[in-house]
Amino acid sequence: QVQLVESGGGLVQAGGSLRLSCAASGSIFSISSMGWYRQAPGKQRELVARITNGGFTNYADSAKGRFTISRDNAKNTVYLQMNSLKPEDTAVYICNVLTLRLTNYWGQGTQVTVSS
């Protein structure tokens, strides 16, 4: 089992920045990759960014050039730095862990609201 605790969401004006954090605990030795998804009202959950144990990253097209995912392996924490935020980035951002056995674990989510 892997437990995830997120922090860093909030309300920000368009053009502003936020940094999300997600700390993992439990069976952390089994983690293959960590990432962030988001879900806006009435929309499907979508991948924002992901980072593997080896540091390989991938981003949604909407996040490229504005968001940066990073990972502190010593703290078992993944971060999402979000710059140049837009109102369409408003969503619940959810931390995800994928284990070596391809099991997904999800955080409780943190609300990000971008006002225009």
Side-chain angles (χ1 to χ4, degrees):
Q1 294 284 330
V2 176
Q3 294 78 44
L4 302 171
V5 178
E6 301 138 327
S7 61
L11 173 65
V12 65
Q13 288 188 333
S17 299
L18 282 174
R19 189 175 86 148
L20 307 182
S21 301
C22 174
S25 61
S27 300
I28 56 177
F29 60 88
S30 67
I31 293 175
S32 171
S33 65
M34 301 180 75
W36 290 94
Y37 285 70
R38 68 186 182 187
Q39 188 163 17
K43 295 188 176 181
Q44 288 189 333
R45 185 174 296 186
E46 61 177 2
L47 174 70
V48 178
R50 174 168 297 280
I51 185 167
T52 68
N53 285 352
F56 176 81
T57 59
N58 66 292
Y59 295 88
D61 287 345
S62 59
K64 289 178 181 177
R66 299 187 300 126
F67 295 2
T68 302
I69 191 168
S70 61
R71 186 169 166 180
D72 185 334
N73 290 326
K75 296 182 178 180
N76 302 311
T77 299
V78 64
Y79 304 96
L80 184 67
Q81 177 67 43
M82 303 186 293
N83 299 328
S84 303
L85 282 161
K86 305 174 182 179
E88 51 264 43
D89 294 317
T90 296
V92 175
Y93 283 70
I94 307 159
C95 181
N96 169 266
V97 156
L98 180 66
T99 71
L100 296 170
R101 293 188 176 185
L102 303 182
T103 300
N104 279 294
Y105 292 93
W106 300 94
Q108 78 283 2
T110 184
Q111 178 69 46
V112 170
T113 303
V114 184
S115 63
S116 57

